[in-house]
Each structure stands twice: as structure tokens, then as C-alpha cells.
Amino acid sequence: MGCLLGIAIFPLFLRAKMKEGVFEQEIIQTLRPVILKHSKWAMKQKPVTVTAYKAVRSAGGIHDFYSEGDYWWPDPKDPAAPYIQRDGMTNPANFVEHRKAMIRFSRIVGALASAYRLNPDKKYVQQALRHLKAWFVDAETMMNPNLLYAQAIQGRFTGRGIGIIDTIHLMEVAQGVKIFEDDPNFPQAAKDAIDRWFATYLRWLTTHQYGIDERSEER
């Protein structure tokens, strides 16, 4: 969606009149068909969270997000030994289901939020809430608010700080929540529960060694 926005907005920017609102309206009209297409798809989707996929190599539980380092493979000399690195070669047997589920989640919320901006229909809020509650609120399906087991390497690390990048897709989810949160069909209780999830995740991100190391690495 980001690429589509960039492609559509740039030529409009060059042609935009200086009158207030004209630029925005041109963007809306250009993107409307794409937004409606994506929202139609999103309205049909059922919630799918990390609990839908069991990660047998994970050191965590069913509610823990899990992913594996891309370039790490079983040792052909000893399948029971720690994985070995093959730089630039992605292991197709890696567990990627949690990543895919989170990407799908962000696409759904982003599509619904975009459609809501065009037409603030409660159906978009209600559908988004189904997915938001599944990921952040409902005890049976929610994801634990940490990344202790992301970017694991079998036999070496149960998780790594670099795995924090796997939740980059939650940025679109958080932006979607901001769009929906003032709608009367977005219950305060749900809003508070989602806020608590993100607050807990942020606290983990800024206090756990993984987050501290990654912040230091950026410097």
C-alpha cells in the first residue's frame, strides 16, 4: 500500500493547486478504488493470530511470537548440532507463519482504517475490533507483548534482539487504532486493553536487554 501511495501522490503533488483541500481531494479520488478494493478483502477476513500456528522449535509458548534467522541451516554433518550460517541463503524450512500472520493483520487494519477515512461506517470499526481484540485482548488468542523468541537460531539462541524488527508491521496497526479510537462504536474498554498491551510491549522494548542492545547498535 505504501508504494501505491507514493506513486499516486507524487504526480498529484506536482499538479496540485494551492487552494486549501484541493490536493487532499485529488489524492482521495485517485486512491479511492484501491482503498475500496483492499477494504472489501479485509471485511471478509477472520482473525488469525500467533496461536493459530504452533512453532515446534520455539522455546516459548503458544502465545509467544516466534521467528528464525533467515540464513541459518541444519548442519549436514550432524542434524542434531547447532545450526550453521549460509550467508545470503534463506532456509526455506524456517518457521515464518507468525511473521505472515502479523503482516496480514497489519494489512487488514490498514485497509479498514483507510476505508473508514473515506466513509466513517461503523462496519469498518467493528471488523477492525475483531482483529484487534484477537491479537491484544482475548486470553485464548492474544500475543504476549514481547519478542523474546524472535529471530531464534536453533541450538544457539532462543531469541535475539534483532528480532525486534519483526514487529515493524505493528506501526500500521497503531496508526489504525488512532483513526478508529474516537468513533462511538470503539468501546472504551477495548481501547484501554489495547493501550495496555502496547504500553507493556513498550516497557519490555525499552528495558529488556534485547531492546537496550538494539538501541545501542543504532548509535
Side-chain angles (χ1 to χ4, degrees):
M1 191 69 177
C3 292
L4 289 170
L5 284 170
I7 292 170
I9 288 175
F10 184 67
L12 285 172
F13 177 79
L14 296 178
R15 301 197 313 270
K17 301 175 183 178
M18 297 306 293
K19 294 180 181 179
E20 184 178 356
V22 172
F23 179 40
E24 180 181 359
Q25 288 304 313
E26 286 196 47
I27 293 174
I28 290 173
Q29 292 306 315
T30 299
L31 295 180
R32 182 182 295 273
V34 176
I35 291 173
L36 294 179
K37 176 183 177 181
H38 283 272
S39 66
K40 186 176 181 180
W41 166 81
M43 286 296 297
K44 298 177 181 178
Q45 304 307 305
K46 295 181 179 180
V48 177
T49 75
V50 294
T51 61
Y53 305 101
K54 185 177 181 180
V56 296
R57 290 189 291 272
S58 175
I62 192 171
H63 294 278
D64 291 306
F65 182 96
Y66 179 73
S67 63
E68 295 177 311
D70 288 338
Y71 306 139
W72 293 85
W73 296 66
D75 187 340
K77 297 179 181 179
D78 182 3
Y83 276 21
I84 59 175
Q85 189 175 31
R86 295 182 180 178
D87 193 28
M89 298 179 64
T90 298
N91 182 353
N94 276 350
F95 182 86
V96 295
E97 279 71 22
H98 289 175
R99 281 188 197 171
K100 289 181 177 179
M102 184 171 288
I103 292 171
R104 175 181 178 271
F105 175 41
S106 71
R107 287 184 59 206
I108 290 169
V109 175
L112 295 170
S114 297
Y116 180 84
R117 289 293 299 272
L118 290 180
N119 175 26
D121 192 313
K122 67 179 182 180
K123 68 180 181 181
Y124 299 126
V125 181
Q126 292 169 342
Q127 174 69 344
L129 273 169
R130 290 180 63 204
H131 293 268
L132 291 166
K133 287 181 177 179
W135 277 84
F136 302 136
V137 182
D138 296 342
E140 291 187 4
T141 59
M142 69 179 291
M143 170 185 159
N144 284 335
N146 62 64
L147 286 176
L148 289 171
Y149 308 103
Q151 289 292 309
I153 300 174
Q154 189 69 14
R156 297 181 184 274
F157 304 101
T158 57
R160 295 182 295 160
I162 194 174
I164 289 170
I165 197 172
D166 284 349
T167 53
I168 191 171
H169 306 287
L170 289 182
M171 293 174 61
E172 190 163 6
V173 174
Q175 290 172 340
V177 172
K178 291 296 293 181
I179 290 173
F180 291 128
E181 64 180 0
D182 291 329
D183 189 281
N185 296 287
F186 200 106
Q188 186 64 44
K191 189 187 309 182
D192 291 343
I194 294 167
D195 285 348
R196 282 195 298 272
W197 191 97
F198 275 101
T200 303
Y201 176 64
L202 183 60
R203 185 162 55 251
W204 176 85
L205 192 64
T206 54
T207 59
H208 191 274
Q209 195 61 47
Y210 286 174
I212 294 171
D213 290 345
E214 288 303 298
R215 185 168 65 245
S216 300
E217 186 71 21
E218 290 178 359
R219 295 174 184 171

